[in-house]
């Protein structure tokens, strides 16, 4: 199967192409078959190729397709590169991706806003899967960049899928532009890397990375981090992700939870060789992760929109992954990437079921009491939540625990660990809040569950993976990626790590079910200000709008007429002015003409006399 | 006077004889047809002598006329321009004068004057030729029997031209006083004390010449005369009269080594630059096509001064003369074409001189409009037309002799010029409004053929100028 | 010989098209399409046939004006072939894009299109400086007429501005050409305008910089680069669709071509000294053009400003003086030819349907015309620089090359891709997305004719984006022979 | 017994005449006077020619003067024709009235 590796990205691409050229004229059922089927087939091929790869025992497998371009010594080739990292990634992308596609065939069926957009939706989704696969399979940073930009594009297209609402368009453009800022940094990183090492081939570059001096390695590491930060919605380029929830919920599940947003994690993991040479850059990765983790988990606590809660949660979970990479627990980071893909996809899909059943109601305070009426979504949400909170034995527990314990040992002291544990506590708090408010209590909106097998089937599979994904895959990944954690679990730090989230659940239950009154705290002026500060996402949007957007708009407004043109207009006006003055001399009077001739004669004679 | 000298005079004698015959014929038989065809014959027959005379080499007739390739080039050019003018005038004047016969006499006489001027190598012939030309022109300008403009134009031209001629004459007298010779060439050895008088005289002579060439600041008569004169006559004034003066100026400048005097050099350069810039600026927003072309001619004569300056240097003499001749020929074509179009579009009483009247001409009379467009673009110096190579020649001459200031002025002037030439083209391309009645006037066929021919030549020389360039080179300088 | 015949054939086709107006309304454009189609086939045949030992596909050299050593010297090497093929292709696009737009004088319209293209082919193949200049100017007049006759409300102003800018800068170039020739004449005693002879001219560096600037100003105006770009938005906005397509697709490329073929090789040292300023102009163009594009509310004006930004990459690439930058510039030329031509075609189609270019009066057009929306989306994305499409290859290579030479400039210029995203997506939002404008009751979508042209351009962009090797190989042959790389 | 008058003096007189004529052209409005002033200018040149001819002892200057006379006569002939027409069509001999062509 390995020789058919190219089929893995090619199948979704073919699906996209088929849907693109038929211009939405195919019957929806065939669209569904093509859309989900192409990804499903890709998953099968990936599975087959992966098994063969694991059995072969080789460290990597490369399939060269063609040389993209050849200019002097710049010869990036389109080569697919399979190693444990990309294998895990492609497995997640095709596997989880297929489940989400399957769910979407039901979710998007006879959609209320875009009933004619069914084919367009799956075209974009397939294109996304293709791009994401190119991102992780590309053996060259330029190919990676192709996928990188491709997923950004699809993200833009899908966030703005309901394009008739200008707000969605705004959210889509914001996502694209903010991540482009990161992409720009990344592109500069590529320029620098090429200048220093003469190749963008990842393996070649990493092999030659030893030639880099420390400063250069740090620069490259920081620039690539810039790219990763943008794509993975980390501070300071995180502001686009909550708005990106404007897209259909399967999109949020696939792109803004399971796959695309983890591309930054993949990039840093892939370029580990550079970060090994640049401790400063690596520390920056960890700091970015920690800061994002804290900021977003506090923010999640104050959101009311179920998808925004999940979005902030995603940011914080990716913060864990960044922190993992930063503190050196890179296999644990990848492990968390995978488990997070399971449980976060589950959470999003389940919330999508809820939203659909409530006729697109997303405010958790307008839900309530749903656990009886929507049992499958509720069960799925619950399972996803406990995995998110990292209750022991769930998949999230395995990976998060490994990260935090590595952080404990980090050279700078236990600060990363402490921050991570605090965030874990907060995670428990906001997750509990979400579950309690939305599913317990009294019913505020009457749901109509219309989900069928194609919708709850994926939920079930993902639920199983969320629970068991940790221990099922732990040993395999431990093998493939290298040792995931080193610390025995009987350890004070380990104990705190395990217990604190549980405390969070208990506290959250009491507070949000109203059994414990904290109104005096929340309603105090300080509490209120803090709440609004958190709710706004720590005012990043507010600041960015004033620092970047507003000045740009101002310039655009005042300079619409192009100030440079003024120079030419003035020249033209002056020339015209000369004409008018000159025309005045042409009075038509004979004697005036004669007088001028006389003056001319005198001037000529004066010139002659003076030379 | 040797036989060879007499033979060399053959074209001139034929032209003069033809005029005499025409005079008698017109006096005896008041037939327009006879006068017209007589004039055509008078102008055409002398051309038959030209090739043989040209083959005989340069003849200097009694020091007053130098009949060489240069003189004959202008002879032919003037005759052809006069023929075109005659053809264009025939119908145009029909509605403006009860008797057209004398017009042809004036036209042929003016041509003779111009031809003599171009061959002059002596102040006497210079004076004679120029005044025969000018006096004929006064009458030609005032020829129409009705309306103020022709009369006003003629009066202005007469008075101002008279003043200029006087200045020129006075200059000649001073030169003669300094050098003791009236021939162009003898100005070589002059006592130091006389030198100032000589330069003073040359300056006054130049002022007179500059007037005739309508260079700034002696240009002010130009638009008024161009506008007031009958359209075909304007074409004749713009071409033949200026061509003749330029021819004699160039000859005099070279023979007398005029530009070796720094003072004269400065005067010429300043006047040239002023003309290029002021001429173009004055034309910029002009709405009357005849006036616009007048201002444009001011600029063009300014450009032409580059040829004079270059020809005045020892190294650049050949190139300067060549470029001058080529430019003059090209300028004749473009100007005659432009005024030809104005003539053929004019109705019984009014000249077609408002640019707004040309709106949509391309759709009504495509060929005529194309000719005017070609002429305008040629005047602007755009490739595909002879105007480009004419200007190219000048810039090449200027650059080749490091006349940077003049070349820059030419570039600036041309840059301004593009605007108003293009305005003409733009007006013609306007789509006609549906409610506007079609201009029903018929274009006379002979006028049509003339302008079409001129247009064709503009394009032809713009595509393949090489044979003509080689021809001009072989003529040699004055 | 064949090159001259091709140029004459295009000119002749123009006359035939004009004359065929009497037959039927369709006859002129069919003549045009056949002429360009034949030209395209001919260039493809040349390409498949391969170059001769000197890297030439066709060449000829006839004396023209012996007095000045001016020759009718035409040569076609890889770069020329590339540009000529693009010209022929966009000729077809131009004709199709104005199919319904032109209501009067079809024959004369096609005449002008064919004559512009004839001039352009001359520009891309001339090997004699005067001949080059000749063609350079020849292509302007029909272009001027296209704007002046078939343009929109401000056509008088726009066409005049276009002509003045290009003509005045052209005068400077003519001056520089003549000065170069006479400098060469002074050294060797030979007057010649031959490109190859003048390549070897030894010029005093103090003079060379001024002569180089004469060329550069003309080409930068045509390109256009800030600060001599202001003619472009006006010209584009007012031009008929075919005019915009030709202007953006081809005429701007003549500026880039001129820099690569003439300004740099003729004055290598002066150009090297000037490189930093040229790169600065390129960078400023990228950012300023992008910011200006965002300011616009007129669809065509926006695309016009985006062209300025794209052309900045060409300056940046060429003056990086390395293979990467140069190739980036050339690929950008090709890719921009496709993407912007398509966007202008779109603008024209919208204007024809809605009688406005103001995006304020559009919005939600996707509802009426999903095909047009999809196409706009595709080409916006291409011009935003999406990998896998041609523009990315060009811009990435240009930036990569520039980075080797001057990293500060490259870093600043890279920020331009963010700006591109801002204005590109905003364009999409205001025209096709958003709430459907209630004033727009319906809009005819693209039909087969438009879609086939669009598909061809999409295919072209994907081709250049995924496998640019064909382009790179053609241009590489030229780049190596120009001798401008260290 | 002739008095030797230096040629320069005659030339100065001629120049004075020239200036007078020029001034006449500038200040007179009646076209007849204008023409008369022109004649003065022309004749001043003639005088200069005669003086110069005398200086060189050659007949050239006098010949030139005769040519000038002939030309002046011709010019006046045309000019008077114009004057007649002007007085007929403009009803005045004031040259300032003839300023319809301008701009």
């Amino acid at each position: 199967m390995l020789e058919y590796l190219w089929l893995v990205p090619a199948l979704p691409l073919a699906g996209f192409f088929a849907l693109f050229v038929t211009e939405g004229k195919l019957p929806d059922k065939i669209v569904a078959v093509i859309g989900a089927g192409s990804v499903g087939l890709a998953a099968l091929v990936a599975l087959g190729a992966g098994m063969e790869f694991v059995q072969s025992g080789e460290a990597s497998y490369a399939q060269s397709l063609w040389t993209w371009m050849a200019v002097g010594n710049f010869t990036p080739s389109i080569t697919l590169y399979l190693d444990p990292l990309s294998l895990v990634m492609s497995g997640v992308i095709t596997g989880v991706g297929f489940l989400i596609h399957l769910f979407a065939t039901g979710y998007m069926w006879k959609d209320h806003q875009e009933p004619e957009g069914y084919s367009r939706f799956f075209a974009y989704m397939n294109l996304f899967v293709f791009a994401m696969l190119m991102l992780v399979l590309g053996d060259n940073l330029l190919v990676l960049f192709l996928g990188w930009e491709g997923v950004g594009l699809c993200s833009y297209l899908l966030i703005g899928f309901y394009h008739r609402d200008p707000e969605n368009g705004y959210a889509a453009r914001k996502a694209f532009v903010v991540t482009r800022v990161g992409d720009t940094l990344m592109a500069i990183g590529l320029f620098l890397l090429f200048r220093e090492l003469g190749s963008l081939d990842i393996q070649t570059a990493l092999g030659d990375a030893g030639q880099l001096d420390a400063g250069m390695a740090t620069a490259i590491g920081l620039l690539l981090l810039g790219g990763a930060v943008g794509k993975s919605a980390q501070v300071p380029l995180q502001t686009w992700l909550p708005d990106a929830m404007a897209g259909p919920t399967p999109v949020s599940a696939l792109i803004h939870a399971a796959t695309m947003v983890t591309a930054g994690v993949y990039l840093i993991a892939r370029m580990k060789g550079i970060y090994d040479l640049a401790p400063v850059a690596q520390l920056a990765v960890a700091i970015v992760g920690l800061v994002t983790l804290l900021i977003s988990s506090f923010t999640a606590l104050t959101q009311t929109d179920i998808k925004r809660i999940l979005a902030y949660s995603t940011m914080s979970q990716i913060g864990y992954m960044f922190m993992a990479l930063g503190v050196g627990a890179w296999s644990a980071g990848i492990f968390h990437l995978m488990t997070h893909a399971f449980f976060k996809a589950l959470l999003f899909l389940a919330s999508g079921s809820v939203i659909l059943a409530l006729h697109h109601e997303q405010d958790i305070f307008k839900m309530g009491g749903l656990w009886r009426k929507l049992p499958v979504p509720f069960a799925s949400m619950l399972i996803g939540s406990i995995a998110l909170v990292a209750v022991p034995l769930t998949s999230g527990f395995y990976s998060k625990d490994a990260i935090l314990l590595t952080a404990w040992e980090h050279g700078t002291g236990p600060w990363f660990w402490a921050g991570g544990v605090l965030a874990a506590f907060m995670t428990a708090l906001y997750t509990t809040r979400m579950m309690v408010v939305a599913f317990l209590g009294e019913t505020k909106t009457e749901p109509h569950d219309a989900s069928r097998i194609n919708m709850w089937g994926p939920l079930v599979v993902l639920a199983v993976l969320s629970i068991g994904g940790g221990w099922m895959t732990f040993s395999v990944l431990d093998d493939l990626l290298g040792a995931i954690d080193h610390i025995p679990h009987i350890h004070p730090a380990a104990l705190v790590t395990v217990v604190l989230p549980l405390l969070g659940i208990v506290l959250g239950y009491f507070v949000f079910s109203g059994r414990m009154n904290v109104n005096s705290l929340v309603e105090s002026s300080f509490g209120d200000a803090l709440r609004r500060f958190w709710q706004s996402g720590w005012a990043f949007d507010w600041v960015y709008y004033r620092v970047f957007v507003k000045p740009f708009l101002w310039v655009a407004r005042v300079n619409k007429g192009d100030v440079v043109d003024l120079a030419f207009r003035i020249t033209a006006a002056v020339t015209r002015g000369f004409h008018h003055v000159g025309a005045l001399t042409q009075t038509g009077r004979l004697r005036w003409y004669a007088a001028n001739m006389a003056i001319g004669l005198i001037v000529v004679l004066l010139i002659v006399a003076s030379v | 006077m040797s036989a060879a000298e007499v033979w060399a005079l053959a074209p001139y004698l034929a032209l003069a004889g033809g005029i005499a015959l025409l005079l008698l014929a017109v006096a005896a038989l008041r037939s327009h047809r006879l006068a017209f065809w007589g004039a055509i014959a008078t102008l055409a027959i002398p051309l038959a002598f030209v090739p043989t005379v040209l083959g005989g080499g340069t003849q200097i007739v009694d020091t007053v006329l130098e009949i060489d390739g240069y003189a004959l080039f202008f002879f032919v050019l003037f005759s052809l321009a006069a023929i075109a003018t005659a053809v264009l005038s025939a119908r145009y004047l029909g509605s403006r004068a009860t008797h057209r016969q004398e017009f042809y006499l004036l036209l042929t006489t003016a041509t003779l004057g111009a031809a003599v001027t171009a061959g002059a190598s002596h102040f006497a012939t210079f004076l004679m030729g120029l005044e025969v030309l000018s006096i004929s022109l006064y009458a030609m300008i005032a020829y129409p029997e009705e309306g103020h403009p022709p009369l006003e134009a003629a009066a202005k031209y007469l008075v101002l031209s008279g003043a200029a001629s006087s200045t020129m004459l006075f200059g000649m007298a001073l030169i003669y006083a300094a050098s003791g010779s009236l021939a162009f060439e003898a100005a070589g050895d002059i006592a130091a004390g006389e030198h100032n008088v000589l330069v003073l005289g040359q300056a006054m002579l130049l002022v007179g010449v500059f007037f005739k060439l309508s260079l700034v600041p002696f240009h002010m008569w130009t638009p008024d005369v161009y506008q007031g004169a009958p359209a075909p006559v304007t074409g004749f004034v713009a071409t033949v009269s200026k061509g003749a003066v330029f021819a004699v100026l160039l000859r005099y400048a070279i023979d007398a080594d005029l530009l070796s005097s720094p003072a004269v050099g400065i005067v010429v350069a300043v006047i040239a630059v002023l003309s290029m810039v002021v001429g173009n600026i004055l034309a910029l927003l002009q709405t009357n096509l005849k006036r616009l072309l007048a201002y444009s001619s001011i600029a063009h004569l300014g450009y032409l001064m580059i040829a004079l300056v270059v020809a005045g240097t020892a190294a650049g003499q050949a190139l300067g003369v060549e470029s001058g001749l080529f430019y003059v020929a090209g300028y004749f074509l473009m100007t005659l074409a432009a005024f030809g179009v104005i003539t053929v579009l004019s109705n019984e009483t009014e000249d077609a001189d408002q640019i707004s009247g040309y709106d949509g001409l391309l759709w009504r009379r495509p060929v005529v409009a194309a000719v005017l467009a070609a002429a305008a673009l040629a005047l602007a110096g755009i490739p595909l037309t002879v105007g480009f190579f004419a200007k190219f020649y000048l810039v090449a001459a200027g650059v080749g002799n490091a006349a940077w200031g003049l070349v820059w002025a030419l570039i600036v002037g041309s840059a301004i010029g593009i605007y108003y030439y293009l305005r003409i083209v733009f007006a013609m391309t306007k789509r006609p409004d549906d409610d506007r009645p079609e201009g029903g006037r018929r274009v006379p066929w002979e006028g049509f053929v003339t302008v079409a021919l001129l247009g064709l030549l503009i394009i032809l020389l713009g595509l393949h100028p090489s044979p003509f360039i080689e021809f001009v080179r072989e003529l040699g300088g004055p | 010989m064949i090159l001259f015949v091709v140029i004459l054939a295009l000119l002749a086709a123009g006359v035939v098209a004009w004359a065929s107006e009497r037959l039927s309304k369709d006859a002129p454009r069919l003549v045009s399409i056949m002429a360009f189609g034949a030209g395209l086939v001919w260039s493809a045949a040349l390409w498949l046939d391969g170059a001769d030992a000197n890297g030439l596909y066709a060449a000829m050299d006839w004396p023209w004006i012996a007095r000045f050593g001016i020759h009718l010297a035409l040569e076609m090497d890889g770069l020329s072939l590339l540009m000529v093929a693009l010209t022929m292709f966009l000729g077809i696009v131009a004709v199709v894009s104005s199919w319904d737009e032109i209501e009067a004088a079809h024959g004369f319209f096609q005449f002008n299109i064919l004559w512009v293209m004839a001039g352009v082919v001359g520009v891309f193949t001339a090997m004699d400086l005067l001949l080059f200049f000749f063609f350079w100017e020849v292509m302007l007049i029909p272009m001027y007429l296209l704007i002046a006759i078939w343009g929109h409300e401000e056509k008088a102003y726009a066409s005049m501005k276009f002509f003045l800018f290009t003509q005045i800068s052209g005068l400077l170039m003519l001056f520089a050409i003549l000065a170069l020739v006479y400098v060469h004449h002074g050294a060797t005693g030979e007057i010649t305008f031959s490109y190859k002879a003048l390549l070897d001219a030894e010029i005093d560096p103090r003079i060379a910089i001024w002569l180089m600037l004469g060329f550069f100003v003309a080409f930068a105006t045509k390109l256009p680069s800030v600060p001599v770009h202001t003619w472009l938005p006006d010209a584009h906005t007012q031009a008929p669709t075919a005019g915009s397509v030709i202007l953006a697709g081809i005429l701007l490329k003549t500026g880039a071509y001129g820099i690569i073929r003439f300004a740099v090789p003729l004055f290598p040292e002066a150009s090297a000294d000037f490189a930093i300023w040229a790169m600065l102009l390129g960078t400023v163009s990228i950012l300023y053009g992008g910011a200006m594009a965002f300011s616009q509310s007129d669809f065509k004006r926006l695309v016009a400003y985006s062209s300025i930004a794209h052309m900045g990459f060409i300056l940046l690439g060429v003056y990086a003086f390395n293979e990467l930058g140069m190739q980036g510039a050339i690929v950008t030329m090709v890719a921009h030819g496709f993407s912007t031509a398509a966007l202008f075609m779109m603008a024209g189609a919208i204007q024809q349907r809605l009688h406005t270019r103001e995006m304020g009066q559009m919005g939600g057009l996707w509802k009426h015309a999903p095909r047009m929306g999809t196409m706009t989306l595709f080409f916006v994305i291409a011009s935003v620089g999406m990998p896998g499409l041609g523009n990315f290859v060009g811009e990435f290579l240009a930036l990569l090359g520039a980075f080797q030479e001057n990293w500060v400039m490259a870093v600043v210029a890279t920020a331009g891709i963010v700006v591109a995203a801002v204005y590109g997506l905003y364009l999409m939002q205001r025209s096709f997305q958003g709430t459907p404008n209630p004033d727009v009751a319906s809009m005819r979508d693209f039909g087969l004719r438009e879609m086939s042209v669009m598909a061809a351009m999409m295919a072209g962009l994907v081709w250049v984006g995924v496998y640019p090797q064909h382009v790179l190989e053609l241009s590489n042959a030229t780049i190596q022979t120009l001798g401008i790389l260290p | 017994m002739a008095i030797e008058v230096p040629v320069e003096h005659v030339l100065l007189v001629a120049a004075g005449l020239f200036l007078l004529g020029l001034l006449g052209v500038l200040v007179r409005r009646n076209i007849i006077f204008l023409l008369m002033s022109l004649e003065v200018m022309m004749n001043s040149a003639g005088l200069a020619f005669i003086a110069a001819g005398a200086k060189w002892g050659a007949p050239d200057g006098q010949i030139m003067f005769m040519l000038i006379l002939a030309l002046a006569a011709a010019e006046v002939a045309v000019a008077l024709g114009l004057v007649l027409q002007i007085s007929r069509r403009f009803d005045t001999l004031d040259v300032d009235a003839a300023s319809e062509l301008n701009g």
Side-chain angles (χ1 to χ4, degrees), chain B residues 319 322 418 431 463 466 473, chain C residues 64 67 104 130 141 144 167:
Chain B
L319 184 57
E322 259 175 80
I418 295 161
R431 294 294 307 170
L463 288 175
S466 212
R473 287 187 78 189
Chain C
W64 183 21
R67 174 68 182 86
L130 195 87
I141 302 158
Y144 166 79
Q167 196 65 39

Side-chain angles (χ1 to χ4, degrees), chain C residues 85-100:
Chain C
L86 184 70
T87 305
M88 298 294 180
F89 176 73
L90 289 179
I92 300 174
V93 175
V95 175
V96 172
S97 66
S98 277
W99 200 270
D100 302 325

Side-chain angles (χ1 to χ4, degrees), chain C residues 50-94:
Chain C
D52 66 9
N54 299 319
L56 298 180
Y57 293 85
M60 62 166 288
D61 192 350
W62 290 347
W64 183 21
I65 302 173
R67 174 68 182 86
F68 294 103
I70 299 170
H71 285 236
L72 265 178
L74 300 170
E75 262 183 24
M76 184 182 261
D77 61 3
L79 181 59
S80 304
L81 175 60
L82 192 60
M83 299 321 292
V84 168
L86 184 70
T87 305
M88 298 294 180
F89 176 73
L90 289 179
I92 300 174
V93 175

Side-chain angles (χ1 to χ4, degrees), chain D residues 36-100:
Chain D
M36 286 168 66
S37 306
L38 270 185
E39 286 302 306
V40 173
M41 286 175 75
M42 287 214 176
N43 285 324
S44 76
L47 180 59
F49 263 118
I50 292 188
K55 174 186 170 190
W56 300 105
D60 295 17
Q62 294 170 29
I63 292 168
M64 284 300 282
F65 183 60
M66 290 171 70
L67 288 177
I68 292 171
L69 281 182
L71 293 169
E75 186 160 331
V76 164
V78 175
L80 289 179
L82 284 182
V83 169
L84 268 176
Q85 287 292 328
I86 286 173
S87 73
R88 190 176 300 163
R89 289 191 219 169
F90 285 85
D91 285 329
T92 175
L93 286 178
D94 184 350
V95 286
D96 286 356
S99 58
E100 292 166 10

Side-chain angles (χ1 to χ4, degrees), chain A residues 73-350:
Chain A
N73 59 351
F74 181 64
T75 51
S77 69
I78 308 244
T79 298
L80 303 181
Y81 181 83
L82 198 63
D83 69 352
L85 181 57
S86 54
L87 179 62
V88 172
M89 292 299 294
S90 17
V92 169
I93 295 159
T94 53
V96 177
F98 170 66
L99 293 173
I100 295 172
H101 272 72
L102 199 58
F103 180 85
T105 58
Y107 185 87
M108 298 304 290
W109 188 264
K110 304 276 182 268
D111 187 59
H112 71 299
Q113 282 191 55
E114 284 281 325
E116 287 156 14
Y118 200 67
S119 168
R120 190 160 62 87
F121 178 81
F122 282 101
Y124 293 164
M125 290 287 273
N126 280 2
L127 184 64
F128 169 79
V129 173
F130 159 73
M132 193 68 208
L133 285 167
M134 289 312 286
L135 197 166
V136 296
L137 287 173
D139 186 31
N140 188 290
L141 280 166
L142 201 64
V143 180
L144 187 151
F145 195 69
L146 166 94
W148 191 268
E149 291 288 301
V151 294
L153 168 68
C154 295
S155 159
Y156 157 76
L157 292 172
L158 287 163
I159 295 169
F161 182 74
Y162 297 127
H163 55 75
R164 287 180 202 189
D165 186 349
E167 293 222 351
N168 297 346
Y170 180 78
R173 279 180 289 130
K174 182 175 174 187
F176 194 79
V177 171
V178 173
T179 49
R180 263 244 155 164
V181 174
D183 299 352
T184 304
L185 295 174
M186 176 169 165
I188 296 168
L190 299 194
F191 300 152
L192 190 59
L193 194 67
F194 178 73
R195 195 184 74 183
E196 295 302 313
L197 297 178
S199 176
L200 287 182
D201 198 67
I202 294 173
Q203 300 308 321
T204 317
L206 290 179
D208 295 345
Q211 302 166 9
L212 292 174
D213 66 60
M216 209 50 86
T218 307
I220 293 170
L222 288 175
L223 285 166
L224 293 182
L225 173 63
V229 155
K231 202 56 103 193
S232 293
Q234 300 294 294
V235 172
L237 296 178
Q238 84 286 22
T239 60
W240 62 271
L241 186 62
D243 293 339
M245 295 300 124
T249 309
V251 171
S252 312
L254 178 62
I255 300 183
H256 304 120
T259 55
M260 185 191 85
V261 285
T262 59
V265 180
Y266 169 78
L267 175 70
I268 290 171
R270 178 54 87 198
M271 301 310 287
K272 182 168 173 290
I274 300 285
Y275 289 94
D276 286 346
L277 296 169
V280 175
Q282 201 178 5
L283 186 65
V285 173
I287 293 171
V288 163
L290 179 64
V291 170
T292 311
L293 179 58
L294 290 169
I295 286 180
S296 53
S297 51
F298 279 97
T299 309
L301 192 59
T302 55
Q303 300 300 314
T304 57
D305 181 319
I306 188 165
K307 285 181 75 180
R308 285 179 86 91
I309 296 173
L310 291 175
Y312 280 107
S313 150
T314 304
M315 277 159 57
S316 76
Q317 295 305 308
I318 296 169
Y320 275 120
M321 300 176 210
F322 268 65
M323 200 172 87
L325 298 172
V327 299
W330 80 275
S331 49
I334 297 301
F335 187 34
H336 192 58
L337 187 160
M338 187 186 78
T339 57
H340 173 252
F342 297 153
F343 63 72
K344 194 50 72 59
L346 175 64
L347 281 167
F348 265 114
L349 293 187

Side-chain angles (χ1 to χ4, degrees), chain C residues 315-352:
Chain C
L315 274 186
L316 201 62
V318 170
Y319 283 92
F321 276 98
N322 55 38
E323 202 178 336
L324 286 166
M326 194 68 76
Q327 288 284 29
I330 291 169
V331 174
T332 303
M333 284 160 75
V334 176
H336 176 263
F338 290 130
S339 66
T340 309
L343 283 175
F344 276 122
M345 184 170 165
M346 188 61 66
I350 294 176
Q351 177 170 22
Q352 204 212 333

Side-chain angles (χ1 to χ4, degrees), chain B residues 124 127-128 131 135 138 142 144-149 151-152 154-156 158-159 162-163 166-167 169-170 172-173 176-180 182 194 224 227-228 286 291 295, chain D residues 11 14-15 18 25 31 34-35 38 41-42 44-45 48-49 52-53 55-56 58 60-61 64 67-68 71 74-75 78-79 82 85-86 89-90 98-103:
Chain B
L127 179 65
M128 288 293 291
E131 290 301 306
I135 293 168
Y138 306 149
E145 287 165 7
E146 294 295 327
H148 291 178
L151 211 51
E152 182 184 330
K156 282 179 181 168
L158 184 140
V159 172
S166 308
T167 313
L169 278 172
F170 203 95
M172 288 178 185
Y176 177 54
S179 69
L182 285 167
E194 307 283 4
D224 297 3
Q227 186 187 354
Q286 187 51 248
R291 289 187 83 82
Y295 291 124
Chain D
L11 288 180
F18 183 86
V25 172
I31 189 154
L34 225 62
L35 291 171
L38 270 185
M41 286 175 75
M42 287 214 176
S44 76
F49 263 118
K55 174 186 170 190
W56 300 105
D60 295 17
M64 284 300 282
L67 288 177
I68 292 171
L71 293 169
E75 186 160 331
V78 175
L82 284 182
Q85 287 292 328
I86 286 173
R89 289 191 219 169
F90 285 85
S99 58
E100 292 166 10
L101 304 171
N102 59 50

